[in-house]
């Protein structure tokens, strides 16, 4: 029986999946089972399956990463579960660190470092993501949840909390359900993966539209929460102004051009989110 199962949801991103699996192959996988759970991709997986014959590939017909992750858990008997996304790149010691820290808490999230897939100069989306994307320490220690692109938990915890739910922000929802049941969530900075930045405005817009839809489904359950959603929407322009110093002081941006492009993208995105959220509050699509 494997000690650790590494579960990777995938849909139509074969190039990045190959990069993900190459990085995992460089880790110490003794006692590990690697499962790729495909959501019925139209891209062929034949070549990548040949390239990684020791990894398992299974299919989940129900769309969505939540369903894919649930299937991954069902397909293995390993007591320790490590989740990573198909577009992430694990550090060379990701599994080694995971083994070392797995007993420290019931849920453990790590660091996600953003990297660009395109040459300089950065687009506004890339510059924005360099500053704001994937702050897992803040997610865990301030907001109380971890993303599933870099997460460790135990099988007994997963079975007690229940499966990921689709249609909402599944990692946020699952983390909150776990901590509400008394399970301990911690941040481990040594547990590192990389994630590519969104390359342009359409990709960034798509990401935040999805997140806004998921957060609305998770947080708005009645008149009071709907009113709070409106208040949060109206505060979006002020939040953009409040976060401008973070952009201009960030050590992750090295040129004035990057800083200005990030600032413009920040303001543009917060204004768009305000419009989306107000539309949601009155029952309109976004």
């Amino acid at each position: 029986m494997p000690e650790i199962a590494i579960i990777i949801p995938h849909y139509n991103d074969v190039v990045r999946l190959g990069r993900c699996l190459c990085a995992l192959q460089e880790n110490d996988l003794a006692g590990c089972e690697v499962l790729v759970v495909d959501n019925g991709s139209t891209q062929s997986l034949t070549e990548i399956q040949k390239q990684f014959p020791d990894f398992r590939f299974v299919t989940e017909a129900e769309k969505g990463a939540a369903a894919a992750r649930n299937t991954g858990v069902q397909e293995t008997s390993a007591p320790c579960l490590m989740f990573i996304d198909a577009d992430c790149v694990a550090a060379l010691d990701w599994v080694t660190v995971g083994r070392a820290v797995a007993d420290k808490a019931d849920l453990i999230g790590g660091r996600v470092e953003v990297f660009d897939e395109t040459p300089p100069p950065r687009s506004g989306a890339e510059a924005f993501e360099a500053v704001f994307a994937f702050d897992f320490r803040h997610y865990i220690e301030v907001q109380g949840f971890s993303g599933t692109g870099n997460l460790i938990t135990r099988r007994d915890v997963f079975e007690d909390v229940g499966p990921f739910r689709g249609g909402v922000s599944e990692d946020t929802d699952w983390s909150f359900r776990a901590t509400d049941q008394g399970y301990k969530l911690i941040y481990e900075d040594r547990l590192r993966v990389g994630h590519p930045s969104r390359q342009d405005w359409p990709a960034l817009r798509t990401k935040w539209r999805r997140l806004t839809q998921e957060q609305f489904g998770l947080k708005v359950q009645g008149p009071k929460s709907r009113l709070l959603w409106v208040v949060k929407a109206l505060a979006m322009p002020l939040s953009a102004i409040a976060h401008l110093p973070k952009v201009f002081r960030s050590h992750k941006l090295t040129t004035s051009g990057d800083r200005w492009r990030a600032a413009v993208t920040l303001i543009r995105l917060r204004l768009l989110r305000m419009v989306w959220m107000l539309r949601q509050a009155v029952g309109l699509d976004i």
Side-chain angles (χ1 to χ4, degrees), residues 6 18-29 34 51-55 90 92 95:
I6 300 171
R19 183 175 63 193
C20 174
L21 298 183
C22 282
L24 286 174
Q25 202 169 44
E26 295 298 315
N27 273 251
D28 177 5
L29 296 178
V34 178
Q51 186 180 353
F52 300 97
D54 295 330
F55 296 169
L92 297 181
V95 175

Side-chain angles (χ1 to χ4, degrees), residues 62-116:
E62 181 182 344
K63 296 298 183 186
R69 293 189 186 100
N70 293 337
T71 295
V73 175
Q74 293 166 6
E75 286 284 334
T76 181
S77 55
C80 179
L81 307 172
M82 296 184 72
F83 294 97
I84 188 171
D85 288 342
D87 55 357
C88 288
V89 180
L92 297 181
D93 63 351
W94 185 66
V95 175
T96 300
V97 172
R99 285 194 189 95
V101 304
D103 293 334
K104 292 177 65 176
D106 305 302
L107 293 79
I108 304 165
R111 177 153 50 116
V112 178
E113 300 169 323
V114 176
F115 64 89
D116 297 332

Side-chain angles (χ1 to χ4, degrees), residues 123-148:
S123 68
E126 289 169 330
F128 173 86
E129 291 243 300
V131 178
F132 293 104
F134 305 114
D135 187 352
F136 270 44
R137 183 188 291 275
H138 182 82
Y139 297 163
I140 292 166
E141 296 181 349
V142 177
Q143 298 184 357
F145 75 92
S146 175
T148 40

Side-chain angles (χ1 to χ4, degrees), residues 40-51:
S41 294
T42 57
Q43 296 176 356
S44 173
L45 298 182
T46 302
E47 291 303 317
I48 202 167
Q49 286 177 286
K50 291 179 181 177
Q51 186 180 353

Side-chain angles (χ1 to χ4, degrees), residues 42 79 82-83 86 100 117 125 166 172 176 180 187 209 211 213 223 243:
T42 57
M82 296 184 72
F83 294 97
E117 295 178 309
T172 306
F176 285 159
D180 284 348
Y187 173 77
R209 182 175 182 272
L211 291 176
Q213 289 172 322
H243 280 99

Side-chain angles (χ1 to χ4, degrees), residues 189-242:
D189 193 65
R190 292 178 296 155
L191 191 71
R192 297 168 297 122
V193 305
H195 190 289
S197 56
R198 269 64 181 185
Q199 295 182 7
D200 52 29
W201 172 253
L204 188 67
R205 185 182 186 278
T206 297
K207 169 189 173 179
W208 278 100
R209 182 175 182 272
R210 173 180 56 80
L211 291 176
T212 304
Q213 289 172 322
E214 291 174 348
Q215 288 296 310
F216 182 78
L218 185 64
K219 294 183 177 181
V220 179
Q221 307 295 333
K224 183 177 180 180
S225 58
R226 190 174 294 269
L227 179 60
L228 290 173
W229 192 252
V230 171
V231 172
K232 186 176 179 180
L234 295 175
M236 279 290 158
L238 293 177
S239 76
I241 296 171

